[in-house]
Amino acid sequence: MATVAAGIAAVVLITGCGAGEVEKASAPTSKSEASAASATPGSDDSFDVEVALKNADTAPYSAEIRTETYTGSTLTVVMAGRMNFNGSGPTGKLTLTTSDSVPEDQAFSTETILLEDATYTRTLDDDGAAGEWQRTGLDSSSAGIADYGAYAQLLLDLGPKARKGQEETGGVLAYRLSGSLTQDQLRTVDRRLYDRMRATGTKEFACDVWVNELGRVVRFEQWLEMSGNSARNVVTFGNFRDPVAVSAPE
C-alpha cells in the first residue's frame, strides 16, 4: 500500500493530473472541501477567473506545497515542502512521509532536493538520521513539475459547465473549476502525461482546480486508479513569497 501510495503522490507533483480511470464518487471528502461545498457558487462578488489567469504575474516566486494522497478513504502519504516556480525550471525541497495508517514494515520517510538539472534523494529514519544522497540526472525525457495554470485553462475551455463559482478554501477565496479531461486535450499541454495515458489506455480523468484572484492555483485535486487502487490527491499551495535558494547537498 505504501509503495503504491508513494507512486500516486509522485504522479500529482510530477505530471499534474494522474493517469487512471475516474472513480470520483468514491473519493474521500476533506474538511476544507466540505466547507467549500457550503459556499454559494457564482455570487455577485465573484472575480473573473479567466481574466485572473490571463493576468497572472509571470515573475518567479516560491510557495509552500502540500500533497495528501489517499488510497480509498485512508490518508497514506504526505509530501510537503517549498518550491520555486516561474523560473527556468522548478526547484525546491520536499519530504515524502507515510502516515500512521501505513504498517510499520512499509513506512518510510525521504527528503528530496529538486534542481534544474538533477534531483537528490535520501532516506530519513525515526531518529532523524539520514542516509546517503542519491543523485538522479534529468534530461529532455524526464518528468517535470506540472503547470497547474494550464490545467485551469483546459477546464475553462470546457465551457460554463466547468465553472463552479467562488468558494473559500484554505482560508482564502478562490474560483473552483471542475471537469474531466481527455488524452487529446493534454497533447500540447502535458506531453509526458499524454504519452502515459496512451500507454495505459486511459481515456480521461477528473480534476478540480481552485484559482485565486491573482491567477494563482491554490488547490488542485485529482481522482485516479493505480495498480487497482482508487486514489485521490489533494495539493495545496500557500505562503507565496520570493524564490528561495536551492543548491545541491555537499
Side-chain angles (χ1 to χ4, degrees):
M1 178 175 67
T3 302
V4 170
I8 293 170
V11 165
V12 71
L13 179 64
I14 294 174
T15 60
C17 296
E21 296 300 323
V22 175
E23 284 204 3
K24 187 168 180 178
S26 62
T29 301
S30 66
K31 291 182 179 178
S32 58
E33 184 181 19
S35 174
S38 65
T40 303
S43 59
D44 292 340
D45 60 347
S46 293
F47 59 88
D48 189 325
V49 63
E50 190 167 4
V51 172
L53 282 169
K54 181 179 179 179
N55 295 333
D57 192 348
T58 58
Y61 70 96
S62 70
E64 290 181 354
I65 179 172
R66 178 181 175 88
T67 299
E68 296 181 350
T69 297
Y70 297 82
T71 52
S73 59
T74 303
L75 176 64
T76 50
V77 175
V78 174
M79 182 162 53
R82 177 168 285 276
M83 294 291 300
N84 294 319
F85 298 100
N86 282 359
S88 56
T91 60
K93 297 181 180 180
L94 298 165
T95 58
L96 184 70
T97 306
T98 50
S99 70
D100 293 340
S101 66
V102 174
E104 185 174 350
D105 63 344
Q106 297 182 41
F108 63 85
S109 181
T110 63
E111 180 181 14
T112 298
I113 297 175
L114 293 89
L115 303 177
E116 294 179 10
D117 61 346
T119 63
Y120 295 83
T121 303
R122 64 179 178 179
T123 58
L124 304 173
D125 63 24
D126 293 338
D127 298 324
E132 295 293 325
W133 287 105
Q134 302 295 319
R135 183 185 186 278
T136 303
L138 301 180
D139 55 35
S140 58
S141 64
S142 300
I145 302 299
D147 182 350
Y148 292 100
Y151 280 102
Q153 186 60 55
L154 284 179
L155 292 175
L156 272 175
D157 293 342
L158 296 179
K161 63 182 179 180
R163 298 181 180 229
K164 304 304 180 182
Q166 185 173 279
E167 302 176 347
E168 182 174 335
T169 179
V172 300
L173 289 177
Y175 198 101
R176 179 184 169 214
L177 301 166
S178 179
S180 293
L181 301 176
T182 65
Q183 273 189 27
D184 192 59
Q185 288 170 302
L186 291 188
R187 188 191 301 268
T188 58
V189 171
D190 194 335
R191 185 72 191 192
R192 298 181 183 93
L193 180 53
Y194 169 76
D195 290 339
R196 179 169 180 173
M197 291 177 70
R198 291 186 62 196
T200 58
T202 303
K203 301 302 182 183
E204 65 177 9
F205 55 83
C207 63
D208 288 6
V209 179
W210 284 259
V211 181
N212 69 11
E213 62 182 349
L214 297 178
R216 286 177 175 167
V217 173
V218 294
R219 184 181 177 92
F220 173 86
E221 296 193 24
Q222 68 175 157
W223 292 262
L224 62 152
E225 282 266 339
M226 182 173 286
S227 301
N229 293 276
S230 299
R232 174 176 176 249
N233 281 311
V234 180
V235 189
T236 55
F237 301 88
N239 195 13
F240 300 103
R241 65 187 195 204
D242 291 339
V244 295
V246 182
S247 59
E250 297 181 356

